[in-house]
Amino acid sequence: MDHPLAGTHYPRAVGEFQAWFRTDADCLDYLEWLRWPAGFICPACGHAGGWRLGDGRFQCSGCGARTSVTAGTIFDRTRTPLTVWFNACWLFATGKDGMSALSLKRTFDIGSYQTVWAMLHRLRSVLVRPGRDRLRGTVEVDETYIGGHEEGLAGGRARGKKVLTGIAVEILEPKGFGRCRMRPLGDATAASLHRFVADFVEPGATVITDGWKSYGGLDQLGYIHCPRSQRAARSRGEDPGELQVSVDSAHLASYLNEFVFRFNRRRSRSRGMVFFRILELAVAHEPVRYKELVAVQPSRAVPPTPPQASGHPASLDRPPANRPWRHSG
Ligand SMILES: [Zn+2]
């Protein structure tokens, strides 16, 4: 949806959020609307049209396949109630710096850390839209070391536990930044840096880099290359290269996605719109299995066991309660 309306398509603020999504059924209906705004379309055959079965699933009137609203999405086979998902997503979208698994676990009194951890990682994994536009205009490209918990690593381009990460930011005139893109780089060779620029910057753009030799040759790839000294960049003040993140490097790419998503929406007037966009991406994103999330986890690090059936959080369903304190006798 290109122009969703505040107060109609997404909640303007927390009060509206709470009023709209009181029950798991409300949440499911919202996901259904997000996934099939013009009515059911069969994911199996692409046929438009079908009917709703007694259990809430849809049956395609073309091929007869049965499908649920959440099947094939990030919510596929989830045993976490949708009210919990929605509340987590609201906090994830509206918090300035996101949300840690631990604070979310406490906020909703959820027993299993793994459940919360996996929920947040699933939300993060939807934040990159494939085929999104490359950056245009004047783009500053830089690399920096991010992640790890290692102190006192020698600067420059020395290898360490921290991960070398490429950063591309649109530079606006007279001042400020446009959109940004980030991705871990294998190394600082010409091959890595050229691929990073080609993937994220539209040919024809002016690319500003420092004087590092690996950036040489960008002209041949169709860019206007302006190498300049590190000092010139620093003197401009706001240096995006000074980003400090402390995360395990195995999930760095996913944290970078989250950072970029937030950065690119930092001027979004409504946090509710960000919430809407995340859910919109979530129903269009294929399922992410717990095994896949744990697969990128380095040994020794946090959550090993998958969530057990007993650890699933209770629904946050809030049917009208009719002021029980007035009726206590
Ligand atoms: Zn079908």
Side-chain angles (χ1 to χ4, degrees):
M1 180 174 291
D2 287 342
H3 303 288
L5 297 175
T8 301
H9 300 125
Y10 60 86
R12 275 170 289 216
V14 66
E16 216 157 54
F17 167 79
Q18 290 176 346
W20 287 14
F21 305 114
R22 300 171 65 96
T23 66
D24 295 320
D26 295 334
C27 300
L28 187 65
D29 188 72
Y30 190 69
L31 293 182
E32 181 188 321
W33 169 75
L34 273 177
R35 188 175 185 185
W36 300 306
F40 172 72
I41 295 171
C42 176
C45 74
H47 175 82
W51 52 86
R52 195 188 300 266
L53 300 167
D55 61 5
R57 288 185 301 164
F58 286 86
Q59 180 154 14
C60 174
S61 58
C63 73
R66 296 173 172 198
T67 214
S68 74
V69 171
T70 53
T73 75
I74 206 85
F75 307 104
D76 198 10
R77 290 197 266 158
T78 184
R79 283 188 269 176
T80 299
L82 290 176
T83 42
V84 176
W85 271 105
F86 271 51
N87 276 275
C89 187
W90 179 262
L91 293 175
F92 184 77
T94 56
K96 187 169 168 291
D97 298 309
M99 164 100 330
S100 79
L102 202 57
S103 68
L104 197 62
K105 179 182 181 303
R106 287 193 189 121
T107 304
F108 297 122
D109 198 19
I110 297 171
S112 159
Y113 177 81
Q114 284 81 3
T115 298
V116 182
W117 178 88
M119 189 162 55
L120 281 177
H121 266 296
R122 289 194 172 96
L123 288 177
R124 280 189 194 102
S125 65
V126 308
L127 298 186
V128 170
R129 217 188 309 232
R132 59 196 178 157
D133 295 342
R134 288 183 285 186
L135 306 182
R136 300 161 180 275
T138 300
V139 178
E140 184 165 330
V141 175
D142 205 348
E143 341 89 60
T144 190
Y145 281 95
I146 295 184
H149 300 283
E150 216 175 20
E151 295 297 327
L153 189 78
R157 289 174 173 83
R159 278 173 161 275
K161 280 181 187 166
K162 297 191 174 194
V163 178
L164 186 66
T165 301
I167 305 177
V169 188
E170 288 174 340
I171 304 294
L172 304 179
E173 291 299 332
K175 196 175 188 305
F177 298 123
R179 298 168 299 166
C180 96
R181 300 278 186 265
M182 297 172 95
R183 189 171 68 193
L185 301 165
D187 49 46
T189 60
S192 294
L193 293 171
H194 287 184
R195 191 178 330 114
F196 177 76
V197 172
D199 285 351
F200 290 131
V201 185
E202 196 68 34
T206 299
V207 176
I208 300 171
T209 68
D210 62 23
W212 178 242
K213 59 178 164 47
S214 291
Y215 286 114
L218 284 176
D219 302 80
Q220 280 98 67
L221 296 176
Y223 301 99
I224 303 161
H225 183 209
C226 301
R228 69 173 171 211
S229 75
Q230 202 80 322
R231 199 142 42 85
R234 292 277 138 74
S235 69
R236 285 188 13 261
E238 328 169 90
D239 184 355
E242 287 172 9
L243 178 71
Q244 291 299 320
V245 194
S246 180
V247 294
D248 57 284
S249 50
H251 288 104
L252 180 63
S254 118
Y255 288 104
L256 292 180
N257 291 343
E258 182 183 350
F259 177 84
V260 168
F261 185 88
R262 288 184 193 290
F263 182 89
N264 290 342
R265 283 161 188 77
R266 68 198 180 283
R267 292 197 200 88
S268 175
R269 270 170 297 131
S270 169
R271 297 284 95 192
M273 166 84 104
V274 177
F275 167 81
F276 170 87
R277 289 296 181 207
I278 292 174
L279 286 184
E280 188 181 47
L281 292 169
V283 293
H285 194 287
E286 74 274 12
V288 178
R289 302 296 176 207
Y290 192 80
K291 263 185 278 178
E292 300 167 37
L293 292 174
V294 183
V296 289
Q297 190 70 17
S299 51
R300 290 196 300 117
V302 213
T305 43
Q308 299 303 310
S310 60
H312 294 291
S315 169
L316 299 172
D317 254 10
R318 290 175 306 124
N322 197 27
R323 301 181 181 171
W325 56 92
R326 290 285 181 196
H327 309 282
S328 57

